[in-house]
Amino acid sequence: MRASERTPFAVKGFQPLTARVFYHISTCFLNSFGTKEVEFGRNLWYAMLEVLLGMNEIEKNGCPQRRACGGCQLQNMSYAEQLLYKQKKEVSLLGRFGHVEEIMGMDHPLHYRNKVHAAFGLDRNRRVVSGIYQPGSHAIVPVDACMIEDELADKIIVSIRKLLPAFKIQVYDERSGSGWLRHVLVRRGFATGQVMVVLVAVSPIFKLQKPFLAKLLTLHPEISTVVLNINDRFGPVVLGRRDKVIYGPGYIEDVLCGKRYRISPSSFYQINPAQTEKLYSAAVEFAGLTGKETVLDAYCGIGTIGLTASDRAKQVIGVELNGDAVKDAIVNARLNGVKNCWFTQGDAGKYMEQMVSDGHRPDVVFMDPPRSGSDERFIGSLLKAAPKRIVYVSCNPETLARDLDMICQGGYRVQRIQPVDMFPYTNHVETVCLLSRNK
Ligand code: SAH
């Protein structure tokens, strides 16, 4: 859905502020009639306003955790306003490189997160709480439901918290260093329905593991695997290095752009699959593949972009720093019967340098670095390799602009800039950018 499609009144003429004032005045007026007889008519009127103004429950009332949480920075805007805000941000940061196409928005922008993380701890009254860390602190904001998280994942986390006393599970207390359970992570394959629960604890000893699992699975038969992750280190990192699979295969699968993917507890996997399909389709379209190209998928994660492009390329080489993700990528190629993709573990810059010094040159390079962007080592050797086209997928327009400057100085021109809203209600925005070599 495009910015201009969803709430025509909010965008053209009928301004959001006017809409809101109108809504609140009519709400106050109708609320002054308290009898049951007018209730039906009142609800009908509200529903009509919602359709006309494009407001949903959260847009009207806001999220109950909004002050303490800080996760959804744009929740005081309607979805159409958010899209316009992001469009403007992209134009101001990237407009100097060329025309910024209209942002691809989401049809249903709520509960899109397929991965939910809850920290477990004690509040001031030593009651068990689960939720998210308050920004800049280690105090936990209790969260039982969230407007952007998967609803089933939230329910599973609440169930786990409620089961703790019956199974004598103590939560970890950072101050005293006592207790066992630190975090719960739930990942869900929206296309397959598979659900992974990761219990992050300080030790592998789980006394009442069997009865606990039996109860949890009775409450949530949708769970397909449970992993115990051991994290005994102090610090901000959620997952420790050791995994112990205590139920099911230890991973889940999901389907994206017609291909099946295995996802392990620590592998990076895009958190909004509906929008990821739009993002990858744009990236593959921009690459303009004919079946003859050698493609490099740099920062490849579990291989999703390279595998999506593999049907239209001669061969794809993926490079990624996280060893578990590379293992998943190799399995993913096999799972989909793809025979022209290879994946390797390592720093993308170092790999690119080696490739150039070995005299290999990819025809097309996909690059999808983390928020901090790419680095001089990678971009330096990318320019030496001089591929015909570069498709840059970025989750941070600021570092994208910095890197585009460097790539353009090295003889490339930006041809397309397509923003995609991967994270509604937050101020993050994803961009796909096509660059081609100056003749
Ligand atoms: N393209 C993938 C992953 C993108 S996220 C997808 O769409 O799902 C960025 C990825 O870059 C992460 O998997 C991270 O582990 C990896 N990464 C971070 N620094 C890296 C580096 N220096 N070299 C290679 N990969 C790196």
Side-chain angles (χ1 to χ4, degrees):
M1 185 184 52
R2 302 276 163 160
S4 52
E5 278 168 18
R6 189 161 176 257
T7 54
F9 288 126
V11 177
K12 289 185 197 134
F14 204 75
Q15 291 304 310
L17 185 65
T18 328
R20 226 161 263 198
V21 170
F22 178 56
Y23 181 84
H24 285 296
I25 290 174
S26 63
T27 305
C28 289
F29 176 70
L30 285 165
N31 277 343
S32 62
F33 299 99
T35 59
K36 279 211 166 136
E37 290 74 47
V38 291
E39 203 153 284
F40 175 75
R42 191 165 58 199
N43 288 341
L44 196 71
W45 174 243
Y46 289 160
M48 221 171 72
L49 282 178
E50 274 173 44
V51 172
L52 286 175
L53 306 179
M55 283 172 154
N56 57 42
E57 198 51 44
I58 287 154
E59 285 168 349
K60 279 183 300 178
N61 302 323
C63 164
Q65 279 94 245
R66 65 188 168 277
R67 284 207 181 83
C69 161
C72 293
Q73 304 87 355
L74 307 187
Q75 64 174 284
N76 56 344
M77 296 183 189
S78 74
Y79 190 51
E81 288 173 87
Q82 294 174 37
L83 292 177
L84 288 179
Y85 167 85
K86 290 183 186 187
Q87 184 76 27
K88 279 188 194 155
K89 183 174 170 176
E90 289 271 300
V91 171
S92 75
L93 287 165
L94 304 170
R96 65 193 160 96
F97 296 103
H99 171 67
V100 178
E101 286 166 52
E102 193 170 357
I103 187 166
M104 291 176 175
M106 238 189 136
D107 293 335
H108 305 288
L110 297 176
H111 303 294
Y112 58 82
R113 279 192 72 99
N114 59 7
K115 175 172 136 180
V116 178
H117 159 231
F120 276 65
L122 298 169
D123 68 7
R124 274 199 214 124
N125 304 316
R126 303 199 65 74
R127 270 188 311 240
V128 175
V129 284
S130 63
I132 58 157
Y133 288 124
Q134 208 165 19
S137 103
H138 256 212
I140 296 170
V141 180
V143 176
D144 280 2
C146 162
M147 65 181 187
I148 62 169
E149 291 173 354
D150 176 53
E151 288 175 291
L152 175 62
D154 281 341
K155 283 186 187 135
I156 292 174
I157 289 166
V158 171
S159 297
I160 292 176
R161 195 183 67 227
K162 289 186 177 159
L163 288 178
L164 298 181
F167 294 90
K168 301 191 170 42
I169 298 171
Q170 309 264 313
V171 296
Y172 182 70
D173 179 12
E174 281 191 338
R175 274 164 290 183
S176 65
S178 64
W180 184 75
L181 183 67
R182 298 179 77 168
H183 308 271
V184 174
L185 189 77
V186 179
R187 298 183 99 168
R188 186 167 175 212
F190 283 172
T192 57
Q194 296 177 11
V195 178
M196 179 200 301
V197 174
V198 184
L199 305 170
V200 185
V202 287
S203 94
I205 300 157
F206 187 0
K207 282 191 200 126
L208 296 173
Q209 177 182 308
K210 263 197 180 162
F212 172 82
L213 283 179
K215 184 70 189 170
L216 183 63
L217 291 163
T218 320
L219 291 173
H220 297 286
E222 309 89 348
I223 296 173
S224 35
T225 189
V226 183
V227 177
L228 183 59
N229 174 275
I230 322 303
N231 187 357
D232 51 11
R233 294 184 179 205
F234 189 76
V237 179
V238 174
L239 291 179
R241 291 212 189 106
R242 261 188 305 160
D243 281 333
K244 186 175 159 194
V245 179
I246 58 177
Y247 174 74
Y251 58 83
I252 52 164
E253 289 180 351
D254 199 17
V255 179
L256 262 187
C257 296
K259 295 227 160 38
R260 211 169 173 86
Y261 294 99
R262 185 176 101 167
I263 307 150
S264 296
S266 69
S267 300
F268 178 88
Y269 183 63
Q270 299 283 356
I271 55 102
N272 182 341
Q275 292 300 93
T276 303
E277 291 202 328
K278 295 181 189 167
L279 181 78
Y280 287 177
S281 302
V284 173
E285 184 209 319
F286 285 6
L289 300 170
T290 63
K292 293 187 193 137
E293 295 83 2
T294 294
V295 172
L296 179 72
D297 179 7
Y299 309 89
C300 70
I302 59 168
T304 40
I305 296 180
L307 288 166
T308 305
S310 64
D311 300 341
R312 305 194 200 173
K314 184 174 152 210
Q315 55 177 349
V316 179
I317 302 150
V319 57
E320 159 65 46
L321 204 56
N322 178 325
D324 285 341
V326 174
K327 280 186 206 147
D328 283 351
I330 293 167
V331 171
N332 289 334
R334 213 178 312 140
L335 207 62
N336 291 288
V338 174
K339 299 212 166 67
N340 61 345
C341 285
W342 291 268
F343 296 97
T344 177
Q345 192 210 339
D347 169 66
K350 206 166 159 189
Y351 184 81
M352 193 74 192
E353 251 175 25
Q354 190 61 44
M355 211 175 171
V356 172
S357 73
D358 291 347
H360 299 305
R361 284 184 48 186
D363 301 298
V364 173
V365 171
F366 287 104
M367 55 188 287
D368 184 9
R371 289 190 63 71
S372 52
S374 189
D375 53 32
E376 281 178 25
R377 192 176 193 179
F378 182 84
I379 295 175
S381 43
L382 174 73
L383 295 174
K384 280 190 200 139
K388 275 189 233 115
R389 283 182 292 282
I390 301 168
V391 180
Y392 194 140
V393 179
S394 160
C395 55
N396 182 349
E398 268 120 19
T399 54
L400 172 64
R402 181 200 68 199
D403 292 349
L404 287 182
D405 268 330
M406 241 192 289
I407 302 172
C408 289
Q409 275 161 24
Y412 282 81
R413 193 176 322 140
V414 174
Q415 304 288 354
R416 308 269 303 261
I417 305 170
Q418 175 64 66
V420 181
D421 189 22
M422 298 281 281
F423 315 104
Y425 291 91
T426 76
N427 57 12
H428 299 295
V429 56
E430 195 93 3
T431 320
V432 198
C433 199
L434 168 67
L435 295 112
S436 65
R437 220 170 42 211
N438 290 334
K439 300 263 156 41

